[in-house]
Amino acid sequence: MVIKEITSTVGLIDPLEALLLNCIYSGASVGFVTPINDEELTSYWKFVGQELDKGYRKLFLAYDGENIIGSVQLSICSKPNGSHRGEVEKLMVHTNARGKGVSKKLMSFMEKVSFKIGLSLLVLDTRLGDVASSLYLY
Ligand SMILES: CC(C)(COP(=O)(O)OP(=O)(O)OC[C@H]1O[C@@H](n2cnc3c(N)ncnc32)[C@H](O)[C@@H]1OP(=O)(O)O)[C@@H](O)C(=O)NCCC(=O)NCCS
Protein backbone atom coordinates (compact mmCIF):
# COMPACT_ATOMS: atom_id res chain seq x y z
CA MET A 1 0.00 0.00 0.00
CA VAL A 2 1.25 3.45 -0.89
CA ILE A 3 -0.03 6.94 -0.04
CA LYS A 4 0.20 9.69 -2.66
CA GLU A 5 -0.66 13.36 -2.73
CA ILE A 6 -2.83 13.96 -5.81
CA THR A 7 -2.97 17.37 -7.47
CA SER A 8 -5.79 16.75 -9.95
CA THR A 9 -8.91 14.60 -10.07
CA VAL A 10 -8.70 14.28 -13.88
CA GLY A 11 -9.14 10.61 -14.76
CA LEU A 12 -9.97 9.72 -11.15
CA ILE A 13 -13.61 10.77 -10.87
CA ASP A 14 -14.98 7.23 -11.38
CA PRO A 15 -12.85 5.47 -8.75
CA LEU A 16 -13.32 8.36 -6.31
CA GLU A 17 -17.09 8.16 -6.75
CA ALA A 18 -16.92 4.42 -6.14
CA LEU A 19 -14.96 4.91 -2.91
CA LEU A 20 -17.34 7.59 -1.64
CA LEU A 21 -20.39 5.50 -2.53
CA ASN A 22 -18.94 2.47 -0.75
CA CYS A 23 -18.41 4.52 2.41
CA ILE A 24 -21.82 6.23 2.29
CA TYR A 25 -23.63 2.90 1.94
CA SER A 26 -21.57 1.38 4.75
CA GLY A 27 -23.16 4.00 7.03
CA ALA A 28 -20.38 6.57 7.18
CA SER A 29 -21.12 10.10 8.31
CA VAL A 30 -19.40 11.88 5.44
CA GLY A 31 -21.86 14.59 4.51
CA PHE A 32 -24.28 12.67 2.28
CA VAL A 33 -27.60 10.99 2.89
CA THR A 34 -29.06 8.02 1.02
CA PRO A 35 -30.49 7.55 -1.53
CA ILE A 36 -27.84 9.34 -3.50
CA ASN A 37 -27.61 9.88 -7.22
CA ASP A 38 -24.61 9.87 -9.55
CA GLU A 39 -24.88 13.60 -10.24
CA GLU A 40 -24.36 14.47 -6.58
CA LEU A 41 -21.22 12.34 -6.46
CA THR A 42 -19.84 13.71 -9.72
CA SER A 43 -20.47 17.31 -8.77
CA TYR A 44 -18.84 16.76 -5.38
CA TRP A 45 -15.61 15.40 -6.92
CA LYS A 46 -15.62 18.13 -9.58
CA PHE A 47 -15.79 20.68 -6.76
CA VAL A 48 -12.83 18.95 -5.08
CA GLY A 49 -10.94 19.08 -8.40
CA GLN A 50 -11.57 22.83 -8.70
CA GLU A 51 -10.33 23.41 -5.16
CA LEU A 52 -7.17 21.40 -5.89
CA ASP A 53 -6.57 23.52 -9.00
CA LYS A 54 -6.88 26.70 -6.92
CA GLY A 55 -4.60 25.37 -4.18
CA TYR A 56 -7.33 25.59 -1.54
CA ARG A 57 -7.28 21.89 -0.82
CA LYS A 58 -5.04 18.83 -0.77
CA LEU A 59 -6.06 15.28 -1.59
CA PHE A 60 -4.25 12.19 -0.39
CA LEU A 61 -5.04 8.74 -1.74
CA ALA A 62 -4.10 5.25 -0.55
CA TYR A 63 -3.41 2.77 -3.34
CA ASP A 64 -3.22 -0.98 -3.33
CA GLY A 65 -1.56 -1.46 -6.70
CA GLU A 66 -3.73 0.48 -9.16
CA ASN A 67 -6.76 0.50 -6.86
CA ILE A 68 -7.74 3.46 -4.71
CA ILE A 69 -8.54 2.05 -1.27
CA GLY A 70 -8.71 5.20 0.82
CA SER A 71 -8.55 8.96 0.90
CA VAL A 72 -8.35 12.00 3.11
CA GLN A 73 -8.51 15.70 2.30
CA LEU A 74 -7.05 18.82 3.82
CA SER A 75 -8.96 22.04 3.27
CA ILE A 76 -6.67 25.00 3.80
CA CYS A 77 -8.23 27.99 5.52
CA SER A 78 -8.30 31.04 3.23
CA LYS A 79 -9.16 33.60 5.92
CA PRO A 80 -6.40 36.13 6.64
CA ASN A 81 -6.29 35.08 10.29
CA GLY A 82 -6.48 31.36 9.51
CA SER A 83 -3.40 30.70 7.39
CA HIS A 84 -2.08 28.37 10.12
CA ARG A 85 -5.20 26.22 10.04
CA GLY A 86 -6.46 23.29 7.94
CA GLU A 87 -9.59 21.19 8.14
CA VAL A 88 -9.39 17.41 7.79
CA GLU A 89 -12.24 16.09 5.63
CA LYS A 90 -13.56 12.83 4.22
CA LEU A 91 -11.23 10.29 5.78
CA MET A 92 -12.48 7.16 4.01
CA VAL A 93 -11.24 3.61 3.61
CA HIS A 94 -12.99 1.10 1.36
CA THR A 95 -14.81 -1.59 3.34
CA ASN A 96 -12.54 -4.28 1.78
CA ALA A 97 -9.41 -2.56 3.09
CA ARG A 98 -10.43 -1.64 6.64
CA GLY A 99 -8.66 -2.69 9.81
CA LYS A 100 -5.21 -2.78 8.21
CA GLY A 101 -3.90 0.60 9.28
CA VAL A 102 -4.76 2.45 6.04
CA SER A 103 -6.45 5.38 7.79
CA LYS A 104 -3.58 5.77 10.24
CA LYS A 105 -1.12 5.97 7.33
CA LEU A 106 -3.32 8.49 5.49
CA MET A 107 -3.57 10.70 8.60
CA SER A 108 0.13 10.49 9.32
CA PHE A 109 1.05 11.37 5.70
CA MET A 110 -1.41 14.27 5.69
CA GLU A 111 -0.07 15.56 9.02
CA LYS A 112 3.52 15.56 7.73
CA VAL A 113 2.52 17.53 4.62
CA SER A 114 0.51 19.96 6.79
CA PHE A 115 3.54 20.62 8.95
CA LYS A 116 5.76 21.12 5.87
CA ILE A 117 3.43 23.76 4.42
CA GLY A 118 3.36 25.66 7.70
CA LEU A 119 0.05 24.61 9.24
CA SER A 120 0.12 24.38 13.02
CA LEU A 121 -3.54 23.57 13.68
CA LEU A 122 -5.74 20.86 12.16
CA VAL A 123 -9.46 20.77 12.94
CA LEU A 124 -12.20 18.29 12.06
CA ASP A 125 -15.66 17.25 13.01
CA THR A 126 -16.74 13.69 13.62
CA ARG A 127 -19.65 11.78 15.10
CA LEU A 128 -19.21 10.79 18.75
CA GLY A 129 -18.92 7.02 19.03
CA ASP A 130 -17.82 6.42 15.41
CA VAL A 131 -14.67 4.37 14.82
CA ALA A 132 -13.08 7.54 13.46
CA SER A 133 -13.65 9.51 16.65
CA SER A 134 -11.25 7.22 18.52
CA LEU A 135 -8.60 7.05 15.82
CA TYR A 136 -8.36 10.85 15.67
CA LEU A 137 -7.07 10.76 19.26
CA TYR A 138 -3.72 9.23 18.16
C1 LIG B 1 -12.91 5.23 10.06
C2 LIG B 1 -12.10 4.53 8.99
C3 LIG B 1 -11.48 5.61 8.10
C4 LIG B 1 -10.99 3.69 9.64
O1 LIG B 1 -10.16 3.19 8.59
P1 LIG B 1 -9.21 1.90 8.79
O2 LIG B 1 -8.16 1.96 7.74
O3 LIG B 1 -10.04 0.69 8.87
O4 LIG B 1 -8.57 2.19 10.22
P2 LIG B 1 -7.17 1.63 10.72
O5 LIG B 1 -7.03 0.22 10.31
O6 LIG B 1 -6.11 2.60 10.30
O7 LIG B 1 -7.36 1.68 12.28
C5 LIG B 1 -7.09 2.84 13.03
C6 LIG B 1 -7.58 2.67 14.45
O8 LIG B 1 -8.99 2.82 14.44
C7 LIG B 1 -9.57 1.81 15.27
N1 LIG B 1 -10.45 0.97 14.45
C8 LIG B 1 -10.45 0.78 13.11
N2 LIG B 1 -11.47 0.01 12.73
C9 LIG B 1 -12.14 -0.29 13.86
C10 LIG B 1 -13.33 -1.01 14.13
N3 LIG B 1 -14.06 -1.59 13.15
N4 LIG B 1 -13.76 -1.09 15.40
C11 LIG B 1 -13.08 -0.50 16.40
N5 LIG B 1 -11.95 0.21 16.22
C12 LIG B 1 -11.49 0.32 14.97
C13 LIG B 1 -8.52 1.03 15.89
O9 LIG B 1 -8.35 1.53 17.20
C14 LIG B 1 -7.29 1.32 15.07
O10 LIG B 1 -6.20 1.43 15.90
P3 LIG B 1 -5.32 0.17 16.40
O11 LIG B 1 -4.16 0.13 15.47
O12 LIG B 1 -4.99 0.54 17.79
O13 LIG B 1 -6.18 -1.05 16.29
C15 LIG B 1 -12.99 3.58 8.16
O14 LIG B 1 -13.69 2.73 9.04
C16 LIG B 1 -13.97 4.30 7.26
O15 LIG B 1 -13.65 4.67 6.13
N6 LIG B 1 -15.19 4.52 7.77
C17 LIG B 1 -16.19 5.20 6.97
C18 LIG B 1 -15.85 6.66 6.74
C19 LIG B 1 -15.81 7.46 8.02
O16 LIG B 1 -16.56 7.23 8.95
N7 LIG B 1 -14.87 8.44 8.03
C20 LIG B 1 -14.70 9.32 9.13
C21 LIG B 1 -15.59 10.49 8.98
S1 LIG B 1 -15.38 11.61 10.36
Side-chain angles (χ1 to χ4, degrees):
M1 191 253 299
V2 62
I3 311 287
K4 294 181 192 169
E5 181 179 347
I6 302 298
T7 54
S8 167
T9 54
V10 173
L12 295 176
I13 297 282
D14 284 350
L16 289 172
E17 281 182 20
L19 174 66
L20 182 53
L21 202 59
N22 172 270
C23 288
I24 293 168
Y25 278 99
S26 72
S29 172
V30 284
F32 292 86
V33 288
T34 55
I36 189 155
N37 61 50
D38 290 350
E39 277 168 27
E40 280 177 84
L41 294 177
T42 308
S43 80
Y44 171 71
W45 285 113
K46 280 191 178 158
F47 159 77
V48 171
Q50 287 161 1
E51 292 242 316
L52 292 179
D53 294 344
K54 292 176 190 158
Y56 295 165
R57 183 174 291 264
K58 288 185 176 288
L59 172 64
F60 305 94
L61 298 181
Y63 284 87
D64 180 7
E66 301 278 295
N67 297 323
I68 296 171
I69 56 170
S71 76
V72 68
Q73 295 173 42
L74 176 67
S75 172
I76 299 160
C77 185
S78 56
K79 290 178 189 157
N81 67 349
S83 56
H84 63 298
R85 192 168 75 225
E87 180 164 2
V88 181
E89 292 180 18
K90 302 271 186 297
L91 175 67
M92 304 185 286
V93 175
H94 194 282
T95 45
N96 292 338
R98 289 186 188 166
K100 297 173 187 165
V102 176
S103 74
K104 274 179 158 177
K105 288 194 173 124
L106 278 164
M107 289 294 289
S108 154
F109 193 101
M110 184 269 306
E111 282 169 1
K112 280 185 190 133
V113 173
S114 302
F115 183 69
K116 267 191 204 155
I117 63 172
L119 301 184
S120 56
L121 176 66
L122 296 180
V123 296
L124 57 83
D125 64 74
T126 187
R127 194 166 55 184
L128 195 65
D130 269 11
V131 169
S133 65
S134 58
L135 80 86
Y136 291 138
L137 299 175
Y138 285 93

